[in-house]
Amino acid sequence: SLGTGEDGSSPVRWTNRPEEIAAMNARVWNNRVAALLQEAGYHFTMFESGYEVTEVHTADTFLRPARTLREFDSIMMSQTVLLPVTRWFGGGQGQIAGYETRTRVRFTLDTVKAIPDRGKPNFVFAHVPTPHRPFVFRADGSARMAETEAEAPRIFNEAYIEQLKYINTLVLDTVRAVRDRAPDAIIVLQGDHGPRHPNSMSFEFRAHALDFVGALNTVCFPDGDYSGIPETFTHVNTFRVIFSKYFGTD
Protein backbone atom coordinates (compact mmCIF):
# COMPACT_ATOMS: atom_id res chain seq x y z
CA SER A 1 0.00 0.00 0.00
CA LEU A 2 1.57 3.27 -1.12
CA GLY A 3 0.58 6.66 0.22
CA THR A 4 -1.50 7.66 3.21
CA GLY A 5 -4.01 10.17 4.53
CA GLU A 6 -7.50 10.99 3.29
CA ASP A 7 -8.66 8.44 0.76
CA GLY A 8 -10.02 10.14 -2.33
CA SER A 9 -11.41 6.91 -3.74
CA SER A 10 -12.81 5.42 -0.55
CA PRO A 11 -16.53 5.17 0.20
CA VAL A 12 -15.71 5.87 3.85
CA ARG A 13 -16.19 9.52 4.80
CA TRP A 14 -13.14 11.14 6.36
CA THR A 15 -13.76 12.43 9.86
CA ASN A 16 -12.03 14.24 12.70
CA ARG A 17 -14.46 13.07 15.39
CA PRO A 18 -12.59 10.89 17.94
CA GLU A 19 -15.40 8.36 18.30
CA GLU A 20 -15.69 7.93 14.53
CA ILE A 21 -11.93 7.64 14.13
CA ALA A 22 -11.87 4.96 16.84
CA ALA A 23 -14.62 3.02 15.08
CA MET A 24 -12.83 3.31 11.73
CA ASN A 25 -9.53 2.17 13.25
CA ALA A 26 -11.23 -0.83 14.83
CA ARG A 27 -12.60 -1.92 11.46
CA VAL A 28 -9.11 -1.76 9.95
CA TRP A 29 -7.47 -3.61 12.86
CA ASN A 30 -10.13 -6.34 12.75
CA ASN A 31 -10.43 -6.53 8.99
CA ARG A 32 -11.98 -9.61 7.40
CA VAL A 33 -9.22 -10.09 4.83
CA ALA A 34 -6.54 -10.82 7.41
CA ALA A 35 -8.95 -12.86 9.55
CA LEU A 36 -10.03 -15.09 6.66
CA LEU A 37 -6.46 -15.67 5.51
CA GLN A 38 -5.27 -16.49 9.02
CA GLU A 39 -8.15 -18.94 9.36
CA ALA A 40 -7.02 -20.50 6.08
CA GLY A 41 -3.55 -21.09 7.53
CA TYR A 42 -1.69 -18.03 6.28
CA HIS A 43 1.06 -16.41 8.36
CA PHE A 44 0.20 -12.69 8.63
CA THR A 45 3.22 -10.37 8.57
CA MET A 46 2.72 -6.66 9.27
CA PHE A 47 5.13 -3.70 9.14
CA GLU A 48 5.19 -0.60 11.28
CA SER A 49 4.11 2.33 9.12
CA GLY A 50 4.25 5.20 11.61
CA TYR A 51 0.48 5.55 11.31
CA GLU A 52 -1.51 3.85 14.03
CA VAL A 53 -4.53 3.10 11.86
CA THR A 54 -2.57 0.83 9.48
CA GLU A 55 -0.69 -1.07 12.16
CA VAL A 56 -2.54 -4.30 12.89
CA HIS A 57 -1.06 -5.78 16.05
CA THR A 58 -3.03 -9.01 15.72
CA ALA A 59 -0.57 -10.02 12.99
CA ASP A 60 1.49 -13.14 13.62
CA THR A 61 4.66 -11.14 13.01
CA PHE A 62 5.00 -7.36 13.48
CA LEU A 63 8.21 -5.85 12.10
CA ARG A 64 9.78 -2.43 12.64
CA PRO A 65 13.19 -0.83 12.16
CA ALA A 66 15.51 -0.80 15.16
CA ARG A 67 15.24 2.96 15.79
CA THR A 68 12.14 4.91 14.80
CA LEU A 69 9.72 7.28 16.51
CA ARG A 70 6.05 6.54 17.01
CA GLU A 71 3.51 8.86 15.37
CA PHE A 72 2.63 10.51 18.71
CA ASP A 73 6.31 11.14 19.53
CA SER A 74 6.94 12.79 16.18
CA ILE A 75 3.89 15.03 16.48
CA MET A 76 5.02 16.12 19.96
CA MET A 77 8.53 16.90 18.71
CA SER A 78 7.13 18.97 15.87
CA GLN A 79 5.39 21.23 18.40
CA THR A 80 8.56 22.11 20.34
CA VAL A 81 11.74 24.14 19.84
CA LEU A 82 13.23 20.97 18.32
CA LEU A 83 11.23 21.49 15.12
CA PRO A 84 14.27 22.63 13.02
CA VAL A 85 16.05 19.42 14.02
CA THR A 86 13.01 17.23 13.37
CA ARG A 87 12.87 18.49 9.80
CA TRP A 88 15.89 16.25 9.24
CA PHE A 89 15.43 13.50 11.82
CA GLY A 90 11.74 13.65 12.70
CA GLY A 91 8.51 15.04 11.34
CA GLY A 92 6.07 17.89 11.39
CA GLN A 93 2.31 18.26 11.05
CA GLY A 94 1.72 14.61 11.94
CA GLN A 95 3.91 13.22 9.16
CA ILE A 96 7.06 11.20 9.76
CA ALA A 97 9.84 13.08 7.97
CA GLY A 98 13.53 12.91 7.15
CA TYR A 99 15.41 10.07 8.76
CA GLU A 100 12.23 8.41 9.97
CA THR A 101 10.75 8.10 6.51
CA ARG A 102 13.94 6.99 4.79
CA THR A 103 14.54 4.34 7.45
CA ARG A 104 11.00 2.92 7.32
CA VAL A 105 10.77 2.87 3.53
CA ARG A 106 14.06 1.08 2.99
CA PHE A 107 13.58 -1.32 5.89
CA THR A 108 10.07 -2.27 4.78
CA LEU A 109 10.81 -2.88 1.10
CA ASP A 110 14.12 -4.64 1.78
CA THR A 111 12.41 -6.93 4.28
CA VAL A 112 9.46 -7.72 2.00
CA LYS A 113 11.99 -9.10 -0.50
CA ALA A 114 13.33 -11.51 2.10
CA ILE A 115 10.22 -12.80 3.92
CA PRO A 116 11.27 -16.28 5.13
CA ASP A 117 9.65 -19.54 4.10
CA ARG A 118 7.81 -20.75 7.20
CA GLY A 119 6.38 -23.87 5.61
CA LYS A 120 3.00 -22.16 5.21
CA PRO A 121 1.64 -19.44 2.91
CA ASN A 122 2.37 -15.80 3.77
CA PHE A 123 0.05 -12.80 3.83
CA VAL A 124 2.27 -9.72 3.95
CA PHE A 125 0.89 -6.21 4.41
CA ALA A 126 3.22 -3.23 4.07
CA HIS A 127 1.99 0.36 4.20
CA VAL A 128 4.67 2.63 2.71
CA PRO A 129 3.63 6.29 3.20
CA THR A 130 6.00 7.54 0.48
CA PRO A 131 5.63 9.06 -2.19
CA HIS A 132 3.30 11.03 0.08
CA ARG A 133 4.84 14.12 1.67
CA PRO A 134 7.25 14.82 3.31
CA PHE A 135 9.68 14.88 0.39
CA VAL A 136 12.88 13.37 1.75
CA PHE A 137 14.31 11.51 -1.28
CA ARG A 138 15.88 12.86 -4.44
CA ALA A 139 15.51 10.89 -7.67
CA ASP A 140 18.84 9.12 -7.07
CA GLY A 141 17.86 8.13 -3.52
CA SER A 142 20.00 10.72 -1.78
CA ALA A 143 18.52 12.59 1.17
CA ARG A 144 16.78 15.93 1.01
CA MET A 145 15.56 17.95 3.97
CA ALA A 146 11.83 17.71 4.57
CA GLU A 147 9.90 20.77 3.43
CA THR A 148 8.05 23.15 5.70
CA GLU A 149 4.36 23.88 5.15
CA ALA A 150 5.29 27.28 3.72
CA GLU A 151 7.72 25.71 1.23
CA ALA A 152 5.40 22.91 0.11
CA PRO A 153 3.33 24.74 -2.59
CA ARG A 154 6.46 26.16 -4.24
CA ILE A 155 8.49 22.94 -4.43
CA PHE A 156 5.67 20.40 -4.73
CA ASN A 157 5.79 19.50 -8.43
CA GLU A 158 9.55 19.09 -8.65
CA ALA A 159 9.93 17.36 -5.29
CA TYR A 160 7.01 14.97 -5.83
CA ILE A 161 8.36 13.78 -9.18
CA GLU A 162 11.88 13.30 -7.80
CA GLN A 163 10.66 11.28 -4.84
CA LEU A 164 8.27 9.27 -7.02
CA LYS A 165 11.08 8.28 -9.39
CA TYR A 166 13.12 6.83 -6.55
CA ILE A 167 10.19 5.06 -4.91
CA ASN A 168 9.22 3.55 -8.27
CA THR A 169 12.73 2.11 -8.52
CA LEU A 170 12.47 0.56 -5.04
CA VAL A 171 8.96 -0.82 -5.59
CA LEU A 172 9.75 -2.36 -8.98
CA ASP A 173 12.88 -3.95 -7.54
CA THR A 174 10.80 -5.36 -4.67
CA VAL A 175 8.13 -6.76 -7.01
CA ARG A 176 10.77 -8.44 -9.18
CA ALA A 177 12.47 -9.94 -6.13
CA VAL A 178 9.17 -11.29 -4.75
CA ARG A 179 8.24 -12.83 -8.10
CA ASP A 180 11.69 -14.45 -8.40
CA ARG A 181 11.43 -15.96 -4.91
CA ALA A 182 7.74 -16.83 -5.05
CA PRO A 183 6.44 -17.17 -8.64
CA ASP A 184 2.98 -18.09 -7.32
CA ALA A 185 2.66 -14.89 -5.25
CA ILE A 186 -0.37 -12.62 -5.68
CA ILE A 187 0.84 -9.01 -5.54
CA VAL A 188 -1.41 -6.03 -4.87
CA LEU A 189 -0.20 -2.43 -5.14
CA GLN A 190 -2.58 0.29 -4.00
CA GLY A 191 -2.47 3.97 -3.20
CA ASP A 192 -5.16 5.84 -1.30
CA HIS A 193 -4.97 9.04 -3.36
CA GLY A 194 -3.03 10.66 -6.16
CA PRO A 195 -0.64 13.62 -5.98
CA ARG A 196 -2.04 15.92 -3.32
CA HIS A 197 -0.88 19.46 -4.00
CA PRO A 198 -1.11 21.64 -0.87
CA ASN A 199 -3.69 23.73 -2.71
CA SER A 200 -5.73 20.77 -3.94
CA MET A 201 -8.59 21.41 -1.50
CA SER A 202 -9.13 25.04 -2.55
CA PHE A 203 -11.62 26.12 -5.21
CA GLU A 204 -8.83 27.94 -7.10
CA PHE A 205 -7.01 24.68 -7.79
CA ARG A 206 -9.64 22.24 -9.06
CA ALA A 207 -7.11 20.70 -11.46
CA HIS A 208 -5.01 19.64 -8.48
CA ALA A 209 -8.12 18.26 -6.79
CA LEU A 210 -8.74 15.98 -9.80
CA ASP A 211 -5.20 14.62 -9.46
CA PHE A 212 -5.86 13.99 -5.78
CA VAL A 213 -8.83 11.67 -6.28
CA GLY A 214 -6.96 9.37 -8.68
CA ALA A 215 -5.40 6.40 -6.88
CA LEU A 216 -3.21 3.48 -7.94
CA ASN A 217 -4.82 0.04 -7.85
CA THR A 218 -3.07 -2.84 -9.59
CA VAL A 219 -2.72 -6.58 -9.13
CA CYS A 220 -0.35 -9.26 -10.40
CA PHE A 221 -1.82 -12.75 -10.73
CA PRO A 222 0.67 -15.63 -11.09
CA ASP A 223 -1.36 -17.27 -13.88
CA GLY A 224 -1.56 -14.04 -15.88
CA ASP A 225 -5.33 -14.44 -16.31
CA TYR A 226 -7.16 -11.17 -15.61
CA SER A 227 -10.36 -12.04 -17.46
CA GLY A 228 -12.33 -12.18 -14.21
CA ILE A 229 -11.60 -8.58 -13.28
CA PRO A 230 -14.74 -6.48 -13.83
CA GLU A 231 -14.83 -3.00 -15.35
CA THR A 232 -15.99 -1.82 -11.93
CA PHE A 233 -12.72 -3.02 -10.34
CA THR A 234 -11.77 -0.64 -7.51
CA HIS A 235 -9.93 -0.64 -4.19
CA VAL A 236 -13.14 -1.68 -2.48
CA ASN A 237 -13.62 -4.95 -4.36
CA THR A 238 -9.99 -5.90 -5.02
CA PHE A 239 -9.84 -8.63 -2.37
CA ARG A 240 -13.36 -9.78 -3.26
CA VAL A 241 -12.04 -10.53 -6.78
CA ILE A 242 -8.95 -12.26 -5.38
CA PHE A 243 -10.94 -14.42 -2.96
CA SER A 244 -13.39 -15.36 -5.70
CA LYS A 245 -10.61 -16.35 -8.10
CA TYR A 246 -8.28 -18.21 -5.74
CA PHE A 247 -10.44 -19.29 -2.80
CA GLY A 248 -13.76 -19.97 -4.50
CA THR A 249 -15.68 -17.49 -2.35
CA ASP A 250 -18.75 -15.65 -3.55
Side-chain angles (χ1 to χ4, degrees):
S1 175
L2 305 173
T4 190
E6 298 91 339
D7 188 340
S9 65
S10 171
V12 178
R13 177 178 57 84
W14 187 256
T15 178
N16 288 317
R17 296 180 179 178
E19 66 279 7
E20 294 183 354
I21 291 175
M24 181 176 66
N25 289 356
R27 293 184 67 182
V28 174
W29 296 333
N30 300 290
N31 70 86
R32 294 182 63 194
V33 169
L36 288 171
L37 289 174
Q38 285 178 297
E39 289 174 7
Y42 279 69
H43 185 97
F44 179 19
T45 298
M46 176 80 206
F47 289 85
E48 179 191 77
S49 65
Y51 290 86
E52 184 181 21
V53 65
T54 59
E55 295 179 353
V56 182
H57 291 273
T58 56
D60 300 301
T61 300
F62 188 89
L63 301 173
R64 63 173 299 186
R67 293 193 181 104
T68 51
L69 297 175
R70 307 295 298 152
E71 182 177 11
F72 175 79
D73 299 326
S74 295
I75 294 173
M76 288 298 293
M77 289 180 69
S78 72
Q79 308 301 319
T80 71
V81 294
L82 294 175
L83 178 58
V85 177
T86 64
R87 287 185 62 204
W88 189 261
F89 292 102
Q93 303 301 316
Q95 307 295 338
I96 309 301
Y99 171 81
E100 292 291 307
T101 295
R102 290 188 289 271
T103 298
R104 279 202 180 93
V105 167
R106 289 172 174 148
F107 170 82
T108 299
L109 295 179
D110 283 346
T111 306
V112 166
K113 292 187 287 187
I115 294 293
D117 183 357
R118 296 184 174 88
K120 61 192 306 187
N122 284 304
F123 171 53
V124 180
F125 178 83
H127 173 204
V128 180
T130 311
H132 192 290
R133 288 180 55 203
F135 300 125
V136 297
F137 290 112
R138 300 189 186 280
D140 62 1
S142 59
R144 70 181 296 158
M145 184 173 290
E147 72 284 355
T148 64
E149 289 301 310
E151 294 168 339
R154 176 175 54 81
I155 61 101
F156 183 88
N157 290 342
E158 174 266 332
Y160 181 88
I161 291 172
E162 282 220 19
Q163 181 151 279
L164 180 63
K165 287 180 177 178
Y166 180 62
I167 294 303
N168 281 347
T169 300
L170 294 184
V171 170
L172 289 173
D173 182 58
T174 301
V175 170
R176 293 188 188 103
V178 170
R179 296 193 70 186
D180 286 344
R181 294 185 71 238
D184 60 344
I186 301 167
I187 301 173
V188 180
L189 290 178
Q190 295 183 321
D192 59 353
H193 58 74
R196 186 171 65 184
H197 192 281
N199 296 320
S200 63
M201 307 309 284
S202 69
F203 290 107
E204 291 80 7
F205 290 87
R206 291 180 181 270
H208 295 307
L210 292 176
D211 290 337
F212 163 65
V213 298
L216 173 71
N217 186 38
T218 183
V219 296
C220 176
F221 291 155
D223 62 4
D225 179 10
Y226 301 97
S227 59
I229 295 181
E231 293 184 4
T232 55
F233 188 61
T234 68
H235 296 65
V236 174
N237 61 13
T238 296
F239 279 95
R240 185 183 298 273
V241 170
I242 292 172
F243 283 163
S244 176
K245 176 178 175 66
Y246 288 97
F247 295 90
T249 60
D250 184 2

